[in-house]
Amino acid sequence: MVEIPLDKLAAALAPHGLILRGGFEFGENDELSGTLVLVGSAGDGWWQPFQDWLSEEGRSTDNPLDSWTREIVGALAADHGARLIMPNDRPYAPFQQWAMRAEWLRASPLGILMHPEYGLWHSYRAALLFDAPLPDAMIQAAHNVIHACDACVGKPCLNACPVGAHSRRGFDYAGCLAHVRGEAGEACRAEGCFSRNACPVGMDWRYRSEVQAFLQTAFAGL
Ligand code: B12
């Protein structure tokens, strides 16, 4: 049986600021079979490699982050006989559910998963599906993971949005979008989401403003 070459994968991803985000084996009742390994980022170390790639001639500006990811992780999939699954391809694959299984994370009140070290400053950019068992190095014990939101009394994330889009009732997507796109949403567009930035966990991993502006603009379709 083939083994998943975790070290090779990690070494190939590192120059691009991408990392392995954990994995798990699908079971009998799942929609897929094999072992899934998630690829993503922690912090914004991917920004400069991505910018360098983007500045090369002939790059399309249509979903550039996905195109960049597809180029890097797609090559790994081809080299190692894995199937590439992308988060924005339809029908949407349940990346957050997969991440919960792989890394034992839970959602913050904002919907974004809370990581014990990276806080809200991490992402899932692609997944690789292998026909091989889960390497021992990827077996993560559930009890290792502390959910920081449980101990967070003030929940500043729920009080920081200028239009109250994040509340205990959930996320008011339409309200957020209208504000971010509008005249009064300049700060949200330039500095990033106030709610996400209000979280005290993982401050060292916070994306610089330039990166937050890029992601907010993409989110708002501007
Ligand atoms: C559609 C989508 C959205 C939609 C949700 C619309 C809706 N009402 O459902 C919108 C446009 C609102 C959205 C917004 C954002 N999203 Co979004 N989104 C997705 C996407 C592409 C598909 C979600 C889905 O339907 N999956 C299918 C179901 C079956 O899978 P699931 O795992 O169960 O998905 C659950 C979650 O997506 C959750 N959910 C529902 N609504 C929302 C809203 C937010 C804000 C989040 C984070 C989760 C969430 O409910 C789903 C059902 O259980 C995923 C990628 C993916 N493939 O999962 C990213 C994803 C969930 N988004 C993500 C992020 C980061 C954001 C933003 C913060 C983007 C940004 N600017 O950086 C914003 C939030 C802005 C804000 N101000 O808070 C990340 C979360 C990463 C993490 N660390 O947890 C993902 C995984 C993308 C990624 N590449 O990392 N998103």
Side-chain angles (χ1 to χ4, degrees), residues 14-18 41-50 68 205 207-208:
H16 308 288
L18 294 171
S41 55
D44 63 11
W46 51 275
W47 180 249
Q48 199 51 54
F50 169 59
W68 175 73
W205 297 90
Y207 306 160
R208 70 198 95 161

Side-chain angles (χ1 to χ4, degrees), residues 155-169:
K155 304 251 184 298
C157 62
L158 291 178
N159 300 311
C161 175
V163 292
H166 288 288
S167 70
R168 287 179 200 277
R169 286 188 307 278

Side-chain angles (χ1 to χ4, degrees), residues 47 61 67 74 80 87 102 124 126 133 137 151 154-155 166 174-175 178 194 201 209 214-215 218:
W47 180 249
T61 47
S67 305
H80 299 285
Y124 303 93
K155 304 251 184 298
H166 288 288
F194 280 58
V201 185
S209 302
F214 169 84
L215 294 171

Side-chain angles (χ1 to χ4, degrees), residues 145-161:
V145 181
I146 292 164
H147 185 57
C149 306
D150 285 343
C152 179
V153 180
K155 304 251 184 298
C157 62
L158 291 178
N159 300 311
C161 175

Side-chain angles (χ1 to χ4, degrees), residues 86-88 92-98 110-113 120 122-125 166 171 173 176 193 196 215-216 219:
M86 294 291 293
N88 294 317
Y92 292 137
F95 266 73
Q96 289 197 300
Q97 287 175 39
W98 287 349
L110 302 184
I112 303 172
L113 299 182
L120 304 177
H122 61 110
S123 71
Y124 303 93
R125 298 272 167 238
H166 288 288
F171 178 44
Y173 175 37
C176 164
C193 172
R196 197 174 185 179
L215 294 171
Q216 284 289 78
F219 158 75

